[in-house]
Amino acid sequence: MATLLHIDSSVFPADASASRAVTDVFRRTWEEQHPEGTVIYRDLAANPVPHISADAHAAGFADPATHTPEQAAAFADRVRLIEELEQADTVLIGAPMYNFSIPSTLKAWLDNVILMGRTAMNVDSKIKGTPVTVVASRGGSYAPGTPREGYEYVQNYLAATLTDALALDVHFIVPELTMAPQNPAMSELVPLFESSRDRALQDAATKAKEFAERFAA
């Protein structure tokens, strides 16, 4: 059976989160198309993982036989997260933009799963080539040619981290202008928001079907 690792990081509940709305469509479509599959779910807002500590970091570069009790405990937490990633046939990540970057909880997850010689910089890595769908929602637009193009640190950072460091196969879905319905100053952008939202929801369903069919074969 194929396994989906689903990670949400929005601090808002499903009915108030653009990224969760899209990841929910992906997951429900995956489950409908692939009912025998397994879903591993992590809500990093509700249950954040530990930020990387000196013990957890140092343990990643040391022989396990030499770990102190503190290093062993911290490293075990990292290994659990890494094993979830290694089990996944496809990964779904909700990554809303907060202050031009990703939520700190998602950064903490990445810091834990990026392990040199195992998940990173390893030609024999178990996760190499795993397809990852990132829902990178944002309140405005940071697309090429827009005034705030230079402030786009979500896709740029995640592309470098997930593709270059972890050798994953990354696909982005970008619902943008999500603040338009709430911000009177953006009212004229509501049609563009609605178009972006609808496209994102459709893209999520399409990607989920694509991966479900691939792993069901």
Side-chain angles (χ1 to χ4, degrees):
M1 295 189 298
T3 298
L4 167 67
L5 174 59
H6 175 188
I7 296 170
D8 277 324
S9 60
S10 172
V11 297
F12 298 104
D15 60 352
S17 167
S19 65
R20 287 182 187 270
V22 178
T23 60
D24 181 63
V25 167
F26 185 109
R27 177 173 171 172
R28 285 191 288 108
T29 304
W30 164 274
E31 291 175 327
E32 290 168 1
Q33 298 290 317
H34 199 43
E36 74 278 14
T38 299
V39 176
I40 300 172
Y41 181 58
R42 279 198 173 270
D43 185 335
L44 298 179
N47 296 291
V49 302
H51 282 271
I52 200 78
S53 65
D55 285 327
H57 180 77
F61 294 93
D63 183 338
T66 68
H67 287 176
T68 66
E70 293 77 16
Q71 287 176 334
F75 192 61
D77 289 337
R78 292 188 70 183
V79 169
R80 279 191 288 273
L81 298 173
I82 290 169
E83 288 176 343
E84 288 180 351
L85 180 57
E86 291 175 335
Q87 292 169 26
D89 294 288
T90 189
V91 181
L92 171 65
I93 300 175
M97 178 184 281
Y98 293 159
N99 299 315
F100 309 121
S101 187
I102 62 173
S104 65
T105 52
L106 181 55
K107 179 62 164 60
W109 180 82
L110 287 166
D111 286 341
N112 276 282
V113 300
I114 296 173
L115 181 59
M116 296 298 174
R118 181 163 176 173
T119 59
M121 307 306 174
N122 176 13
V123 295
D124 298 318
S125 168
K126 293 181 180 179
I127 68 171
K128 184 178 181 180
T130 299
V132 179
T133 301
V134 177
V135 179
S137 60
R138 61 276 316 273
S141 179
Y142 300 81
T146 61
R148 290 201 166 187
E149 175 184 357
Y151 292 87
E152 208 301 303
Y153 300 113
V154 173
Q155 285 179 266
N156 290 336
Y157 169 71
L158 290 177
T161 304
L162 299 174
T163 303
D164 297 341
L166 297 178
L168 299 167
D169 179 19
V170 182
H171 308 262
F172 285 98
I173 296 175
V174 185
E176 61 179 8
L177 301 169
T178 62
M179 288 299 297
Q182 288 80 42
N183 186 346
M186 299 174 67
S187 59
E188 65 181 21
L189 300 175
V190 169
L192 291 177
F193 152 71
E194 292 173 342
S195 176
S196 176
R197 176 199 59 197
D198 294 346
R199 184 169 57 251
L201 295 172
Q202 181 58 54
D203 287 348
T206 299
K207 278 294 176 189
K209 289 178 181 178
E210 174 188 333
F211 294 137
E213 290 170 1
R214 179 189 304 183
F215 298 115

